[in-house]
Amino acid sequence: MQRSYTLLLFLCLVGSTISAQQVWDNFEDIRQGTYDFISGTLIPYSENPDKTGANTSLVAASYTRNASEAFDVILLDAPVADLSDYISGAKQMSIAVYSPAAGKTVQITLENSATAEPQNFPVGRHSIYQTTTTVANSWEVLTFSLTEQPDMSVGNDGVNRLVLLFDPGNAAGDTYIFDDLNGPELADDPCDGATANPMILEDFECNQNLRYIFSHSGVNFRRVDNPDQNGNTSDKVATYTRNGGEMVDVIISRFGSGNLSVSGTSEIAIDVWDPTAPSLVRLSLQAANGDVILAIDANTSQSETWETLRFDTSPATASMDIAQLVILFDPDTNNSDNYFFDNITVDNSVAVVDLPEVSAFSVAPNPSPGRTLFQYELLQNAEVELSVYDLTGKRVATLLRERQVAGAHQAEWNADNLANGLYYYTLMVDGSIATGKVALSR
């Protein structure tokens, strides 16, 4: 068990800065909802064209309208709580936009996906909101105002889809960059109350600590519903269709505002769903300028099923400034298979405790049949907290939270009411945190 990396961790949910109550998508650490349908071309991890302006994010979404569609749409599915304040005007939605021209309308329609169909307007459309760009080729934050309620039969708690339209009513192929979509509060947010887990780099749910700055596949790399929950029970995962025109097709990500430190770390693990195993998956740890520090290969062995690939990072050292994590599926080929991946974790279960206040730490049995004993020795009096989390980052048990004297201590975790699978624990001693994992297997 060891502190495995230095990262600025973000909470999954934060309040918006202007009027709206929840960030739906900032294309970095907060990704809510699922993109169900897109008429044009959406590249959700595109480089910000102007980081010195009103939006300093590394990445944003690039959207090129389908020029053959007058009402070109982006559908984003998520259950909404109560729209009463948005109808009254007490709260407003907002979005950051980098537009090709001033005077372009941006529209949001909130609807019920069960009744709203492409050709049956106004059925199922709860409310429509609009705003207008005021500058060209520059970032601005636009706030939406209610324009109409087409279907009054849809209740304020009956919306589960946000429809985003750029320049509705005009068939044009313009490109818009957008970011920081602030929408209504979600009705059922699985990340509500979740605690950031320092061992999870990315789970596409409540721990989204990677910043994706480039992918060759563009629109074919995005967050989607898990198509196969056998072997991976996550609700959300990433889908990635390899660009067959690239021999070396890459997904490039960065670690928030810090670098990855692999001092004492045994491996990085990634869950992969491969349609045609075996396939080579390469993990490239790089400096900020793209220089390769360490390249590690692993191979899938099963088709159309989830499996965990493990990448040995022990040749790297803490002195190496690892700023980028790059994933390559089947490099040096021209295949165009569609992969899914999830749960990128720093797995240091075989490492030893590096907390200076602790010695003789042990977790047994591991894997555990349901009762797990944590034992350790404190070298001095200290404030101690020992907690266990599931893969979504939700705390499932607090075993200790007290001041303890120097000497031997132990705590038992009773997990009889929890499902089999992987869990993470954190041991905090006088503010220093160490982490590890324990598997339940009955």
Side-chain angles (χ1 to χ4, degrees):
M1 182 183 69
Q2 173 153 343
R3 278 174 288 179
S4 52
Y5 59 93
T6 304
L7 270 180
L8 177 62
L9 293 174
F10 293 85
L11 293 178
C12 183
L13 292 178
V14 296
S16 114
T17 57
I18 53 169
S19 300
Q21 295 302 301
Q22 187 158 352
V23 179
W24 279 45
D25 208 336
N26 67 4
F27 304 99
E28 294 179 315
D29 58 307
I30 302 176
R31 309 298 312 279
Q32 301 287 354
T34 302
Y35 289 91
D36 179 49
F37 176 80
I38 302 161
S39 292
T41 300
L42 175 68
I43 302 176
Y45 305 109
S46 180
E47 185 176 2
N48 181 351
D50 181 9
K51 302 180 187 67
T52 63
N55 179 16
T56 59
S57 298
L58 287 176
V59 294
S62 174
Y63 181 67
T64 302
R65 286 185 90 267
N66 183 342
S68 65
E69 295 284 348
F71 291 89
D72 193 38
V73 299
I74 301 171
L75 304 186
L76 184 56
D77 292 339
V80 172
D82 184 357
L83 292 169
S84 300
D85 286 343
Y86 296 87
I87 296 300
S88 69
K91 297 177 182 177
Q92 293 175 292
M93 295 176 283
S94 66
I95 190 172
V97 175
Y98 187 96
S99 172
K104 297 290 186 178
T105 298
V106 184
Q107 177 176 306
I108 284 178
T109 300
L110 299 178
E111 64 183 31
N112 183 295
S113 63
T115 56
E117 299 176 4
Q119 306 302 325
N120 72 343
F121 186 90
V123 176
R125 280 74 173 182
H126 172 274
S127 47
I128 296 176
Y129 308 78
Q130 290 187 341
T131 186
T132 305
T133 64
T134 64
V135 295
N137 301 318
S138 181
W139 282 107
E140 61 180 327
V141 176
L142 302 176
T143 301
F144 293 86
S145 297
L146 176 69
T147 60
E148 60 177 306
Q149 287 186 265
D151 187 350
M152 298 292 291
S153 69
V154 180
N156 289 339
D157 59 353
V159 167
N160 63 351
R161 174 177 289 166
L162 184 151
V163 184
L164 181 62
L165 302 92
F166 289 91
D167 201 15
N170 295 311
D174 293 334
T175 296
Y176 297 81
I177 313 295
F178 69 96
D179 200 4
D180 298 332
L181 174 60
N182 292 268
E185 302 89 326
L186 299 182
D188 181 18
D189 189 345
C191 294
D192 190 17
T195 303
N197 190 320
M199 292 191 67
I200 302 177
L201 294 176
E202 179 67 85
D203 63 7
F204 299 99
E205 292 177 312
C206 304
N207 290 274
Q208 301 182 57
N209 300 309
L210 294 180
R211 307 289 181 271
Y212 298 94
I213 61 172
F214 179 79
S215 74
H216 277 143
S217 284
V219 68
N220 295 315
F221 171 38
R222 53 198 175 99
R223 176 179 181 262
V224 297
D225 291 332
N226 184 356
D228 179 7
Q229 292 196 327
N230 293 318
N232 176 15
T233 59
S234 297
D235 290 328
K236 305 295 182 182
V237 300
T239 183
Y240 182 70
T241 301
R242 197 183 182 287
N243 185 341
E246 297 285 345
M247 291 288 287
V248 183
D249 192 36
V250 297
I251 302 171
I252 303 175
S253 62
R254 291 182 179 172
F255 308 100
S257 63
N259 290 338
L260 180 72
S261 173
V262 292
S263 175
T265 300
S266 61
E267 61 190 16
I268 292 176
I270 305 177
D271 291 344
V272 175
W273 193 98
D274 181 3
T276 55
S279 295
L280 174 68
V281 181
R282 178 169 297 158
L283 198 64
S284 179
L285 305 181
Q286 300 181 356
N289 63 0
D291 288 347
V292 177
I293 294 174
L294 179 65
I296 321 154
D297 290 347
N299 290 279
T300 62
S301 61
Q302 304 175 64
S303 297
E304 299 184 341
T305 188
W306 285 101
E307 63 179 313
T308 301
L309 301 185
R310 302 186 181 278
F311 301 83
D312 182 10
T313 63
S314 57
T317 68
S319 62
M320 297 177 177
D321 292 329
I322 302 171
Q324 295 185 166
L325 184 148
V326 181
I327 304 173
L328 302 91
F329 287 92
D330 222 2
D332 303 318
T333 72
N334 288 112
N335 90 51
S336 55
D337 286 343
N338 182 50
Y339 301 87
F340 297 92
F341 66 98
D342 194 17
N343 298 328
I344 305 175
T345 61
V346 178
D347 185 349
N348 50 16
S349 58
V350 300
V352 297
V353 171
D354 73 337
L355 293 179
E357 304 91 343
V358 177
S359 67
F361 185 91
S362 66
V363 182
N366 191 7
S368 170
R371 301 293 178 96
T372 310
L373 189 64
F374 293 82
Q375 295 180 299
Y376 57 94
E377 184 171 343
L378 287 180
L379 302 181
Q380 61 190 42
N381 297 350
E383 296 289 339
V384 179
E385 181 175 324
L386 178 60
S387 301
V388 183
Y389 302 83
D390 65 16
L391 284 177
T392 72
K394 289 185 177 180
R395 190 194 302 258
V396 297
T398 299
L399 306 182
L400 289 170
R401 186 182 289 161
E402 61 190 31
R403 183 164 185 82
Q404 295 184 331
V405 299
H409 297 272
Q410 67 179 36
E412 184 181 61
W413 177 37
N414 180 355
D416 288 345
N417 62 332
L418 296 174
N420 286 346
L422 188 64
Y423 294 82
Y424 293 88
Y425 58 85
T426 62
L427 177 64
M428 180 182 295
V429 180
D430 280 347
S432 298
I433 300 177
T435 62
K437 72 174 185 178
V438 59
L440 290 184
S441 179
R442 300 178 180 86

